[in-house]
Amino acid sequence: MAELNTPLKLGALKLKNRVIMAPLTRSRATDDRVPTPMMVEYYAQRASAGLIISEATVISEEANGYRNTPGLFTEAQVEGWKLVTNAVHEKGGLIVAQLWHVGRVSDPELLNGETPVSASSVQQAGHVSLLRPKRPYVLPRPLEIAEIHAITEQYKQAAIRAKEAGFDGVELHGANGYLIDQFLQTKTNKREDEYGGSVENRVRFLLEVVDALIDVWGADRVGVHLAPRGDEHDMGDDDPRETFGYAMEQLGKRKIAFFFTREYLAEDSISEYMKQRSDGVPYIANMRLSREDAIELLASGKADAVSFGKAYIANPDLYERLLQDASLNELRLENMIGSQTAEGYIDYPTLAELKVLSTIE
């Protein structure tokens, strides 16, 4: 029976425990998307996790939808990430890079005046995150086939740079309404070519990018991040079981290292079904998990590992706290994204630090 502290193999990755740090956008990179010394400390503080999945990292400047998110398309960015990966490894941790293209979830202000791209010209509801004055998302431009192939090559080049930067593998961000997801789901994919219509066509881009990452890393160091519930960025699919089941069937044939789903537990959850379709690909569960949820998922074999996001922001030693059933620090939402300060980023105390403080007082 698996427990929180049970070791785990995800492909070639040998984890010391089954508690995963989820990817978390914090917007602390430089204006040129270079990781900072503050980011080095942030990740090193959390190295007791069985695996860290880096914050979403853009594969090109045109892939971005937020200021100060890091990239993996310049040498300066590679050098910045090297400091992060070295620090995590020195603490005995593992870290993979999450590779990202936001697609339509952007704005011309962030793209040098260019129109955001997507699978099809389907405008997203709502307002662009963090930009002021507030403005609605614009109607995106559908990618031409040659552009799709060019973006696949950008993913491959980012994977090469991730290897140069010392990561232990890569995870493709195919979730949360970003570009890969926009091709997967029927609400955003209205294409009539080989990338639209049938489930085989809608999954094609995902699989072509995964194959490009496998060319660089080998399948046993490549993971995929999916969001079958479609509850972010105005997404939706006519038949999520068919779409995500087929995707997992194809990913299973490729023997990838793991898949990760952002899907809260409910009667209509399909992550367990996706695992069944995957021919044994290890599954990382995520979203609103309590300690009790995590323990039950591992004990029952419904998930191979469990992942936490906001809890890892506020608790650098979350793994140790979960083992001890210790109380958690309270998350300070005002500093979560967009602040360039250390406040609410690297100043959350560990249990050991709290103990020292209490003795001083």
Side-chain angles (χ1 to χ4, degrees):
M1 184 177 76
E3 299 179 14
L4 295 169
N5 60 354
T6 306
L8 172 67
K9 277 192 70 178
L10 299 179
L13 303 171
K14 297 178 181 178
L15 280 59
K16 57 197 173 187
N17 63 64
R18 298 190 182 220
V19 178
I20 312 296
M21 178 175 162
L24 294 157
T25 292
R26 306 302 306 279
S27 297
R28 256 66 172 198
T30 69
D31 291 343
D32 293 328
R33 306 191 182 280
V34 176
T36 60
M38 196 160 54
M39 289 171 63
V40 175
E41 184 172 351
Y42 168 76
Y43 281 107
Q45 286 176 346
R46 289 154 178 81
S48 63
L51 176 68
I52 294 172
I53 303 175
S54 84
E55 62 204 276
T57 301
V58 289
I59 59 171
S60 67
E61 192 58 50
E62 308 85 63
N64 94 83
Y66 307 85
R67 300 193 196 285
N68 300 107
T69 54
L72 264 172
F73 55 90
T74 70
E75 289 308 308
Q77 292 161 1
V78 169
E79 293 305 309
W81 276 119
K82 275 183 185 177
L83 300 175
V84 173
T85 61
N86 286 340
V88 170
H89 292 151
E90 285 172 8
K91 293 282 190 74
L94 294 171
I95 181 168
V96 299
Q98 189 187 63
L99 304 181
W100 189 33
H101 192 307
V102 306
R104 69 176 186 169
V105 189
S106 192
D107 185 81
E109 183 178 322
L110 301 168
L111 301 171
N112 295 316
E114 296 295 320
T115 301
V117 298
S118 185
S120 304
S121 290
V122 180
Q123 188 171 5
Q124 179 179 326
H127 294 86
V128 183
S129 297
L130 305 177
L131 287 187
R132 297 295 180 268
K134 288 183 76 170
R135 80 286 307 264
Y137 287 100
V138 301
L139 183 70
R141 175 178 67 80
L143 285 164
E144 297 177 7
I145 288 177
E147 292 177 303
I148 295 171
H149 296 163
I151 289 173
T152 300
E153 180 61 25
Q154 288 178 343
Y155 274 109
K156 185 172 185 175
Q157 293 304 313
I160 291 169
R161 288 191 171 91
K163 185 172 277 193
E164 293 171 359
F167 284 98
D168 298 295
V170 291
E171 185 197 58
L172 174 61
H173 196 340
N176 300 359
Y178 297 118
L179 185 62
I180 299 290
D181 210 12
Q182 291 160 32
F183 275 80
L184 287 176
Q185 300 201 43
T186 55
K187 186 173 181 178
T188 46
N189 189 337
K190 307 298 182 184
R191 301 178 73 96
E192 296 179 352
D193 58 16
E194 60 262 47
Y195 289 93
S198 69
V199 65
E200 293 83 2
N201 285 352
R202 286 182 285 109
V203 173
R204 189 184 307 277
F205 184 34
L206 164 71
L207 298 178
E208 288 178 348
V209 175
V210 167
D211 288 342
L213 303 183
I214 289 172
D215 284 347
V216 176
W217 279 97
D220 58 2
R221 290 185 181 271
V222 173
V224 174
H225 197 103
L226 297 168
R229 198 170 287 282
D231 55 356
E232 279 278 305
H233 293 125
D234 193 26
M235 295 300 294
D237 191 76
D238 292 338
D239 190 345
R241 285 174 70 89
E242 178 191 38
T243 298
F244 291 95
Y246 176 77
M248 286 315 308
E249 187 179 281
Q250 297 305 306
L251 293 170
K253 289 178 180 178
R254 287 160 171 78
K255 306 295 182 190
I256 63 169
F258 65 88
F259 78 102
F260 178 120
T261 62
R262 179 190 174 277
E263 186 187 44
Y264 60 81
L265 302 176
E267 286 187 10
D268 61 348
S269 298
I270 67 167
S271 293
E272 194 175 343
Y273 168 73
M274 291 166 64
K275 179 175 169 61
Q276 292 166 5
R277 291 284 297 272
S278 75
D279 192 27
V281 175
Y283 160 48
I284 301 173
N286 172 259
M287 198 174 179
R288 304 181 195 167
L289 298 181
S290 66
R291 179 178 184 272
E292 292 68 32
D293 291 333
I295 290 170
E296 193 280 327
L297 284 167
L298 295 176
S300 65
K302 292 177 181 176
D304 299 286
V306 289
S307 180
F308 297 87
K310 289 179 180 177
Y312 251 121
I313 291 176
N315 300 276
D317 58 343
L318 179 65
Y319 168 65
E320 289 84 356
R321 290 176 187 254
L322 291 174
L323 279 189
Q324 299 174 39
D325 196 13
S327 60
L328 302 183
N329 294 325
E330 189 174 335
L331 178 65
R332 303 197 293 274
L333 289 170
E334 67 274 13
N335 302 118
M336 198 163 76
I337 297 175
S339 167
Q340 288 299 295
T341 68
E343 237 178 286
Y345 189 58
I346 54 173
D347 62 345
Y348 285 105
T350 63
L351 286 173
E353 288 166 344
L354 287 171
K355 189 174 181 180
V356 169
L357 285 172
S358 67
T359 57
I360 292 172
E361 291 171 358

